[in-house]
Amino acid sequence: MAATAVMAQITISEAQMKKMGVVVEPVRMIQSEAMGPFIGTFDYSDKGAKNYSLSSEATVSELMKQTGDSVKKGEVICTIASSELLASSYELNDLRNRLKLAQEYAQKDHALYKDGVISLRESQKSTLEVMSLKYKVAEIENRFIFSGADIRPKNGMMFTIRSRQNGILAHAPLKAGEKIEPFVPYLKTVSGNALSAYIKIPPKMIGSIHKGALVTDKTGSQAGKIMAISSAVDVMNNSAIAIAVLHSNNTYRAGTSGEFYIASTQTDKWMLLPRSSVTKYKKNDICFVKTAGGFKAQVIQVQKIYKEHIAVKPEGFSVTSEVASDGIITLKGALSGLGFE
């Protein structure tokens, strides 16, 4: 291993790097200044969510899925016992049979009207009867859609409840035997990327938070974007709420909380380096940037220190740069041996 003083270039092969434990990691570009930390709680957004409810009391018979489980469209979530759905199922079957007959009579009456056998008024009566029955059928079918239940019962008055979309079960009964209250959603499914962070903002900082601002977590990684900001302050906790839609690859869980930073309106960019990649050399903060033949010692200007990363000015870096994050002592030894500043 050797170094040249002019470019502070350290020549080292891949085999030598592996032998000496030198590891590299990529850098990331982030928005320059961030406000925070703010505390945010995680919950599922109502956008694209589907709620399941009944207009009368029912009882959970069996649970196949629990809150937080992934579900596919048509997959069974639970079974329930409902006298309302049982009566609706019989009524729907009767109405469908009546509708089928009414449609046949309406077709015949229309043909008789065209032949001049009956009047237009008589033909229209048949058409109106068909329309009325279609409305009643649609009304009852919607009861089953909103409840998530199959139309036909099984084992008496038991009904199978299925998911109406692919996603996550955000809310579900806790156990079999649990009562389902009328008009209160007993199930809720949401799309897999519908998790939001509800971030508490002090009143004096509301004007500094803007829609579309980037949100980062305590490590400096991008977590999402601000999509809405409340104009009112909650007197109970003396804070406003900024809602951030989180990236779909997040690992957060609904009901928990986290620490966030929100980007200001500045347009400057910083490079985010692993904290272990930054060291001191001759009173300067430096890191070692990977080059084709080894590493280049790069003097950096630290802007902000996070728990696991350090933000620096972007000079000397590109979005494809990699820096040494382990084996720093070995690389510093090469510099110290040359004695250059």
Side-chain angles (χ1 to χ4, degrees), residues 279-295:
T279 187
K280 283 282 188 182
Y281 182 77
K282 303 288 185 175
K283 297 183 180 180
N284 291 319
D285 292 307
I286 69 166
C287 69
F288 295 93
V289 180
K290 185 76 171 66
T291 62
F295 291 91

Side-chain angles (χ1 to χ4, degrees), residues 166-239:
N166 294 334
I168 296 170
L169 190 57
H171 171 67
L174 297 175
K175 57 185 179 180
E178 190 172 321
K179 293 292 183 183
I180 298 173
E181 298 296 330
F183 304 107
V184 177
Y186 68 99
L187 291 175
K188 180 179 181 180
T189 54
V190 297
S191 59
N193 59 351
L195 198 65
S196 296
Y198 294 81
I199 305 171
K200 295 180 180 179
I201 309 295
K204 65 180 181 180
M205 301 188 73
I206 295 175
S208 302
I209 308 296
H210 299 279
K211 185 177 180 180
L214 290 177
V215 176
T216 57
D217 61 20
K218 60 184 178 182
T219 69
S221 301
Q222 289 188 14
K225 287 185 178 182
I226 297 295
M227 299 305 295
I229 307 154
S230 65
S231 57
V233 175
D234 187 339
V235 295
M236 298 297 292
N237 53 36
N238 193 35
S239 63

Side-chain angles (χ1 to χ4, degrees), residues 298-317:
Q298 175 75 43
V299 176
I300 57 176
Q301 299 180 57
V302 175
Q303 302 299 303
K304 196 176 185 75
I305 298 176
Y306 298 98
K307 184 178 180 180
E308 298 178 2
H309 295 80
I310 292 180
V312 303
K313 287 192 174 181
E315 288 77 14
F317 298 94

Side-chain angles (χ1 to χ4, degrees), residues 55-276:
S55 58
S56 64
E57 190 177 89
T59 303
V60 177
S61 175
E62 185 180 7
L63 276 172
M64 288 73 171
K65 293 287 184 177
Q66 299 286 343
T67 300
D69 287 347
S70 296
V71 291
K72 294 181 179 180
K73 185 176 182 179
E75 190 172 8
V76 177
I77 298 175
C78 64
T79 59
I80 65 173
S82 170
S83 57
E84 176 207 8
L85 291 179
L86 184 62
S88 295
S89 179
Y90 290 141
E91 185 180 0
L92 181 58
N93 185 60
D94 178 63
L95 285 170
R96 283 176 169 175
N97 290 332
R98 288 169 56 190
L99 175 60
K100 184 178 179 181
L101 288 173
Q103 288 172 327
E104 293 175 357
Y105 286 135
Q107 289 177 351
K108 291 177 181 179
D109 286 349
H110 182 66
L112 291 173
Y113 163 69
K114 289 180 68 176
D115 292 339
V117 177
I118 62 174
S119 66
L120 175 61
R121 184 175 181 179
E122 289 178 295
S123 176
Q124 288 176 333
K125 283 177 63 178
S126 298
T127 302
L128 290 172
E129 176 66 13
V130 169
M131 293 175 62
S132 176
L133 288 171
K134 280 184 175 181
Y135 174 80
K136 292 178 180 178
V137 166
E139 182 184 12
I140 297 178
E141 285 176 341
N142 282 333
R143 295 179 196 172
F144 288 93
I145 292 173
F146 293 141
S147 67
D150 286 352
I151 290 174
R152 296 184 182 278
K154 68 172 197 175
N155 300 329
M157 58 189 298
M158 300 298 175
F159 286 83
T160 300
I161 308 299
R162 301 179 187 273
S163 175
R164 288 153 53 194
Q165 65 176 10
N166 294 334
I168 296 170
L169 190 57
H171 171 67
L174 297 175
K175 57 185 179 180
E178 190 172 321
K179 293 292 183 183
I180 298 173
E181 298 296 330
F183 304 107
V184 177
Y186 68 99
L187 291 175
K188 180 179 181 180
T189 54
V190 297
S191 59
N193 59 351
L195 198 65
S196 296
Y198 294 81
I199 305 171
K200 295 180 180 179
I201 309 295
K204 65 180 181 180
M205 301 188 73
I206 295 175
S208 302
I209 308 296
H210 299 279
K211 185 177 180 180
L214 290 177
V215 176
T216 57
D217 61 20
K218 60 184 178 182
T219 69
S221 301
Q222 289 188 14
K225 287 185 178 182
I226 297 295
M227 299 305 295
I229 307 154
S230 65
S231 57
V233 175
D234 187 339
V235 295
M236 298 297 292
N237 53 36
N238 193 35
S239 63
I241 296 295
I243 302 174
V245 175
L246 303 175
H247 296 324
S248 58
N249 60 349
N250 70 79
T251 57
Y252 306 121
R253 300 287 291 184
T256 62
S257 60
E259 192 175 278
F260 292 99
Y261 294 83
I262 301 175
S264 70
T265 55
Q266 294 182 15
T267 57
D268 294 339
K269 299 291 183 180
W270 289 342
M271 302 307 295
L272 202 63
L273 314 182
R275 192 163 183 172
S276 60

